[in-house]
Amino acid sequence: MKLDPRHLEILAAIVEAGGLTEGAALLGKSQPSVSRSVSLLEDRVGEPLFQPTRRPLQPTELGLALAQEGQRILDAGRQASRLVDEYRQGLAGAIRVAGTPIFMDGVISSVIAEFQTEHPNIRIDQSYGYPTELLSKLSSEALDVAVLPIRPADVSAEFEFRQILPGRNVIACRAGHPLARKKTVKLEDITDYSWIAPPANSPLFRDLRNTLDGIGVRDLKISFTGGSLSAVVNVLTGSDSLTVLPYSVVFMMQRQKTLTALPIKIGDPDRHLGCVTLSGRGMSASTHRLLEFIKQKFEMLDRLICDA
């Protein structure tokens, strides 16, 4: 025998609320329509579902058993409604985020961790890449947000760029490096040490070359090339090597007493860290919530860096 799930749901609401009028109010239906649904269900099963002449309404044994089955339908509907509300409010969903390895590992990952602590029902699918690749993924809608250093002039009208941190690079070394203990550091001092180079296809590698050219260093000894921040940090902390890193990354490491920045002025890159999204595309509420969260956190980070 096949029963109408809607009738079982109505039966469950009546039993839960304690009466026809109360059950109708719970479901947002009229009392006569609810009464008709109960009559149809009773006709279908061939048995009364409520004790006759008993007030308030009391279900029969069969009525109670069917109401328990209907409760599952009622609960499923409530859960579905909660899920829809959470998605609409940006409290649930999945966001595809990608960025350059150094920034993602150095500053973005900790922000994502804070975001998910506050919003545990939002899943973040995170990956790595460099600007050309990430802009292509945004264009094909294979990505929701790209967090990367880029020149605003390089962002076409197809995309929307939200700057979150101005570009600034420094020469970085381990906290106990011999140069870090000197009161003043001269340009010739850094030529005595080997260097860590980012991958040749990364924007940071071009920054390294431009920085060294700008301060007159031509003969560069590369001791290590690594793409991940953890690899660079491990080599820096275990050796006297130097490298060029974004100051925001070094600033976070300074607080952990891992890395430090040498007091040597180098030219800042003409790129700024920002969030890039596809223009004209309907953004999910959860993606909008993440962008606002990143903006707030980086406003705080920028103030801390300026005050340091």
Side-chain angles (χ1 to χ4, degrees):
M1 177 185 293
K2 186 176 181 180
L3 302 178
D4 191 331
R6 292 172 298 178
H7 293 167
L8 296 177
E9 180 185 21
I10 289 170
L11 178 62
I14 295 169
V15 172
E16 178 183 308
L20 285 171
T21 302
E22 294 81 0
L26 184 64
L27 294 172
K29 296 179 178 293
S30 68
Q31 191 272 342
S33 70
V34 167
S35 182
R36 284 194 299 272
S37 295
V38 172
S39 296
L40 289 171
L41 184 56
E42 287 181 328
D43 290 343
R44 180 64 175 162
V45 300
E47 297 285 343
L49 300 177
F50 291 95
Q51 300 283 355
T53 71
R54 297 292 297 271
R55 292 292 182 271
L57 283 180
Q58 292 187 11
T60 62
E61 184 178 348
L62 176 60
L64 183 59
L66 291 178
Q68 290 173 346
E69 297 301 319
Q71 189 67 46
R72 299 178 187 179
I73 301 170
L74 188 61
D75 291 341
R78 289 168 173 167
Q79 178 62 20
S81 295
R82 282 195 293 269
L83 286 175
V84 171
D85 289 341
E86 287 180 352
Y87 271 87
R88 286 177 174 173
Q89 296 170 26
L91 301 175
I95 310 171
R96 298 163 299 175
V97 182
T100 52
I102 295 294
F103 276 113
M104 289 303 295
D105 292 346
V107 289
I108 301 298
S109 59
S110 61
V111 173
I112 289 176
E114 287 187 61
F115 179 77
Q116 291 197 295
T117 298
E118 295 187 15
H119 307 290
N121 292 329
I122 297 178
R123 189 182 80 242
I124 304 294
D125 297 328
Q126 188 246 298
S127 57
Y128 299 102
Y130 293 111
T132 301
E133 173 192 1
L134 297 185
L135 293 178
S136 176
K137 285 186 175 182
L138 283 172
S139 183
S140 64
E141 300 192 21
L143 192 64
D144 298 309
V145 181
V147 186
L148 44 81
I150 195 169
R151 294 174 63 237
D154 292 339
V155 181
S156 69
E158 182 184 5
F159 306 103
E160 182 176 352
F161 175 75
R162 299 171 176 85
Q163 181 176 318
I164 58 176
L165 204 64
R168 180 184 174 189
N169 287 338
V170 294
I171 297 177
C173 62
R174 64 181 176 89
H177 194 283
L179 293 182
R181 296 194 295 266
K182 297 184 68 171
K183 291 183 178 180
T184 58
V185 180
K186 301 177 181 178
L187 288 179
E188 54 265 27
D189 294 333
I190 67 175
T191 60
D192 296 333
Y193 297 92
S194 59
W195 287 74
I196 296 173
N201 63 332
S202 69
L204 201 55
F205 181 82
R206 294 192 293 273
D207 289 344
L208 174 62
R209 292 302 329 178
N210 293 338
T211 294
L212 295 175
D213 289 344
I215 60 179
V217 177
R218 298 287 184 269
D219 188 16
L220 181 67
K221 178 185 176 183
I222 301 292
S223 62
F224 179 83
T225 300
S228 71
L229 179 62
S230 60
V232 171
V233 171
N234 286 337
V235 175
L236 278 179
T237 56
S239 70
D240 286 337
S241 297
L242 306 173
T243 195
V244 169
L245 285 174
Y247 183 52
S248 56
V249 174
V250 178
F251 180 81
M252 299 295 287
M253 295 290 178
Q254 279 180 327
R255 303 172 78 182
Q256 303 168 16
K257 299 183 179 179
T258 304
L259 302 183
T260 191
L262 294 181
I264 297 179
K265 281 284 187 180
I266 62 176
D268 293 329
D270 59 354
R271 301 183 315 279
H272 304 294
L273 184 64
C275 297
V276 185
T277 56
L278 193 61
S279 294
R281 178 189 172 192
M283 185 186 301
S284 69
S286 56
T287 300
H288 179 75
R289 187 177 291 273
L290 174 63
L291 290 174
E292 286 300 309
F293 189 88
I294 290 175
K295 176 186 174 183
Q296 293 173 11
K297 290 299 177 181
F298 273 85
E299 285 175 351
M300 294 172 57
L301 177 59
D302 193 25
R303 288 195 294 268
L304 288 173
I305 290 175
C306 291
D307 294 339

